[in-house]
């Protein structure tokens, strides 16, 4: 699997990269939390150290959990019970204390990946809400049988909401999925695209704003 290793210690990082590659994985190492927040899209699993130079690893974990369900395995020297509990409560899939045996690390990675795969369901290809039909495969939207012309980004925003229709979706998650980086994306861009979608769909109440959180498509 593609593994994003967030580790600032040169010796530890180099050893882990070599071990993961030997085991058949494709590791990429970054040293800063900010790099993890911008690079997680290209990974299947994150190995996250807590002692990073630019921010605490738990802050990285908190920000990741706002936008992705990507498996995160905390790998750190902080083995006290308080740190473990905080990490798990913030959404870590597992927590390993250094030094860790390679066989155990690989087994834990496999286990969290299996659990992540089990909770993932294939997205629908067509979503229908009243007389609005969103064809995710063809990237087309119909309202009352009429094809609605949307820009690529407008469709991406609508699609991200459509696959979760009826559920609240955070602004951070939408920006992360559509613009590729919630950490740097401009929030105003999302507002503009949502306003354009509402104007084009002409269905009051279909795209609902959830104050201080995000949006919901449908009831």
């Amino acid at each position: 699997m593609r593994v994003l290793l967030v580790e600032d210690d040169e010796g530890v990082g180099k050893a882990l990269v070599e071990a993961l590659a030997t085991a058949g994985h494709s590791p990429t190492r970054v040293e800063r939390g900010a790099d993890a927040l911008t690079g997680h899209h290209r990974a299947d699993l994150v190995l996250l150290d807590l002692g990073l130079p630019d921010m605490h690893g738990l802050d990285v974990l908190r920000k990741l959990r706002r936008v992705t369900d990507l498996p995160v395995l905390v790998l750190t020297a902080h083995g006290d019970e308080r740190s473990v509990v905080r990490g798990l409560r913030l959404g870590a899939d597992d927590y390993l204390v250094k030094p860790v045996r390679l066989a155990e690390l690989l087994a834990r990675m496999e286990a969290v990946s299996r659990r992540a795969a089990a909770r993932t369901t294939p997205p629908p290809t067509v979503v229908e809400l009243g007389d609005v039909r969103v064809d995710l495969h063809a990237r087309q939207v119909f309202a009352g049988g009429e094809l609605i012309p949307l820009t690529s980004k407008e469709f991406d925003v609508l699609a991200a909401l459509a696959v979760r229709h009826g559920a609240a979706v955070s602004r951070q998650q939408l920006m992360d999925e559509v613009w590729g980086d919630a950490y740097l994306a401009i929030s105003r861009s999302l507002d503009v695209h949502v306003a354009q979608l509402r104007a084009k769909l002409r269905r009051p109440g279909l795209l609902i704003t959830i104050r201080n959180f995000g949006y919901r498509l449908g009831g």
Side-chain angles (χ1 to χ4, degrees):
M1 69 186 84
R2 298 171 302 169
V3 180
L4 179 62
L5 173 63
V6 191
E7 171 63 69
D8 67 322
D9 185 286
E10 184 68 28
V12 174
K14 184 177 180 180
L16 282 172
V17 165
E18 291 179 355
L20 290 168
T22 300
H25 298 294
S26 299
T28 299
R29 176 178 164 239
V30 297
E31 299 181 7
R32 304 185 312 133
D35 296 326
L37 295 174
T38 58
H40 69 271
H41 308 280
R42 297 179 291 277
D44 302 309
L45 180 143
V46 176
L47 290 179
L48 177 65
D49 184 26
L50 296 187
L52 302 173
D54 59 334
M55 67 178 74
H56 196 283
L58 292 181
D59 291 328
V60 177
L61 176 60
R62 184 182 297 109
K63 290 176 182 292
L64 283 174
R65 280 296 170 255
R66 290 175 182 168
V67 298
T68 181
D69 292 326
L70 188 71
V72 177
L73 199 159
V74 171
L75 184 62
T76 181
H78 300 278
D80 59 284
E81 183 179 2
R82 183 169 179 271
S83 294
V84 173
V85 170
R86 286 187 65 200
L88 294 174
R89 284 181 174 172
L90 285 172
D93 292 271
D94 208 340
Y95 197 111
L96 284 173
V97 179
K98 299 174 185 175
V100 61
R101 292 176 298 177
L102 178 60
E104 181 181 3
L105 172 61
L106 295 174
R108 296 286 189 97
M109 288 170 53
E110 184 179 339
V112 299
S113 294
R114 279 200 310 267
R115 292 199 296 268
R119 65 176 179 252
T120 302
T121 56
T125 57
V126 175
V127 176
E128 295 187 1
L129 297 162
D131 66 347
V132 174
R133 187 174 190 269
V134 183
D135 189 324
L136 299 169
H137 180 71
R139 293 181 64 85
Q140 292 181 327
V141 181
F142 298 86
E146 174 189 355
L147 178 63
I148 306 299
L150 298 181
T151 66
S152 178
K153 280 288 188 289
E154 288 169 357
F155 184 86
D156 289 342
V157 172
L158 184 61
L161 291 165
V163 295
R164 305 172 180 85
H165 63 91
V169 184
S170 72
R171 297 175 61 85
Q172 290 93 340
Q173 187 165 2
L174 286 170
M175 289 188 291
D176 192 69
E177 290 190 15
V178 175
W179 281 270
D181 183 10
Y183 190 64
L184 297 175
I186 301 173
S187 180
R188 179 61 181 158
S189 296
L190 176 60
D191 297 330
V192 170
H193 283 78
V194 168
Q196 291 171 339
L197 276 172
R198 284 182 171 137
K200 291 182 177 182
L201 291 172
R202 302 190 305 276
R203 298 296 186 277
L206 178 64
L207 210 171
I208 302 162
T209 299
I210 302 173
R211 189 176 180 183
N212 298 325
F213 183 77
Y215 298 96
R216 182 176 72 243
L217 190 68

